Amino acid sequence: MELKNYIGGVWRHSAATEFATVSDPATGEVLAKTPLSPPSEVDMAATIAAEAFVDWRRTPPVKRIQPLFKLKALMEDHFDGMAEMIVLENGKTIGEARGEIRRAIENVEVACGIPLMMQGAVSEDIARGIDEFMIRQPVGVVAIVAPFNFPGMIPFWFLPYAVATGNTVIMKPSERTPLTMQMGIELMEAAGFPRGVVNMVHGGAETVNAILDHPTIKAVSFVGSTAVAKHIYARAAANGKRVQAQGGAKNPLLIMPDADVEMTTKIVTDSVFGNSGQRCLAASNIILVGAAKEIFTPLLQKTAVSRVLGHGLDDGVEMGPVISGQSKERISGLIEMGVREGAELLVDGRSFTPPSALKEGHFLAPTILDNVAIDGELSRTEIFGPVMSLMHAADLDEAIAWINSGQYGNMASLFTTSGGVARRFRYEAQAGNIGINIGVAAPMAFFPFSGWKDSFFGTLHAQSGHGVEFYTQTKIVVERWLKEWSRQF
Ligand code: NAD
């Protein structure tokens, strides 16, 4: 099946000559072909979205959110179908996919509060007879560029806020996992957004670069790897656009000797191996402080090897494949690099053999490397796969200093039963999302997704009030109305 673009309320065949293949990572079955749309199709979408903006921005916010209420109901109706589509194109388990769609819906719900969220401010009498207002107005045509790993949730970190604040949108899903958003856009069409308000152009790097260079597109929201995030940030900014660009991660998770043993073991393993490690909030470096080493190492090992792998739609499966053969090879190479750097392979997931029905799948079982060199390359490289690196620190000072020396700042988590240790960690750790006895500190829709350092380029993050600020520009009005002018009536 060759996917179509959705421009101006019409599903259109792309003139692309190159395609990306979408396949089920668990079976290798080809599901669709994604057109790598040429710049002319971005231009068509931008032109039509700009025309639609004229009326959409004049539509009162209370009216603009009505299709969002319908969208919420439609997403609930199609909840299972969307979750199954995520499993098929991404490989994660059905439970993980359901969690993803729930998060997407929560963002639609929060954006329904736009009439209140985009209110301005008024100061009466800044001088005698003079009032000053701050009004929020939409920026115009905005674009969203998404990664492969949360095909149903990440577009919704942005889309509901962008349209509710009065902008028109061009969506560019990952060319590797575009099918969930194909459904998402069909639901938006059914929800009754006017033609041209929401558009989707499939593609890869050339399509994205056409977005970054297009003069009509005023803002770009991006989520993906750090190398691409830097490119997006620089090129879009050089063209005068607003940009929010979320990048990669290498999340540290600290375990203190006083941590709750059972809960910590379960949550830490889930954080590292959930979504097969393909989560920007997956824990990667597990830093065991002092005596935590003896307590937790054997337990983490035992829990990791018990994880059930298979097709994400099958009952009892706890972990699916990684996204592609290329990704599996890259992760295997990183495991090898860790061993070369002196780490000990406690659990080797590379030897996993799937059942014959899944022999074409890209499976890698949980892997644990112990004594990963703190100054080595592996400890600094995003793996984006089911690999746990165990590292050891003498005390909290050493652990926090090491965390803060890292390049990324997406998330840092701590496991302890001590309030004092927790407060110090929350205060000092240089990451934008902090977990205290939490393995995946994913902000709810009503908080901003606050990556720091090389995990984020920009100032306003995804979701909630940050989304509203990003998609609106403030206008200040200063008015003078003298009392004597009202006397004539
Ligand atoms: P990616 O950077 O390869 O691709 C992301 C998007 O950018 C895709 O839509 C792709 O078509 C486009 N793209 C790729 N190369 C490009 C180029 N050279 N020029 C212009 N556009 C280009 O990322 P991915 O592999 O799809 O996703 C995984 C990455 O995303 C990981 O690094 C992960 O940490 C990160 N991620 C971050 C967050 C976060 O919130 N910070 C969330 C999810 C994923």
Side-chain angles (χ1 to χ4, degrees), residues 36 144-150 153-154 157-158 171-177 202-210 212 222-229 231-232 235 245-251 277-282 323 330 382 384 408 410 433 449-452 454-456 462:
L36 303 183
I144 300 163
V145 179
F148 82 84
N149 65 325
F150 282 95
M153 174 181 74
I154 288 177
W157 283 354
F158 307 104
M171 175 73 224
K172 207 300 285 173
S174 167
E175 63 274 38
R176 292 190 274 175
T177 54
H202 290 291
E206 193 197 5
T207 320
V208 175
N209 287 336
L212 303 178
F222 171 84
V223 179
S225 56
T226 288
V228 180
H231 163 70
I232 302 277
R235 188 149 164 177
Q246 300 190 198
K250 181 76 180 174
N251 302 307
Q278 300 169 117
R279 237 180 341 210
C280 67
L281 294 180
I323 188 70
R330 186 185 54 78
E382 180 174 39
F384 225 55
Y408 298 102
N410 220 29
N433 301 294
F449 194 106
S450 295
W452 282 14
D454 275 3
S455 297
F456 179 69

Side-chain angles (χ1 to χ4, degrees), residues 11 32 56 67 93 102 106 149 196 201 226 231 313 317 415 461:
W11 290 95
W56 186 240
T93 68
R102 181 53 56 206
E106 284 164 4
N149 65 325
V201 179
T226 288
H231 163 70
L313 290 177
V317 167
F415 285 76
H461 297 84

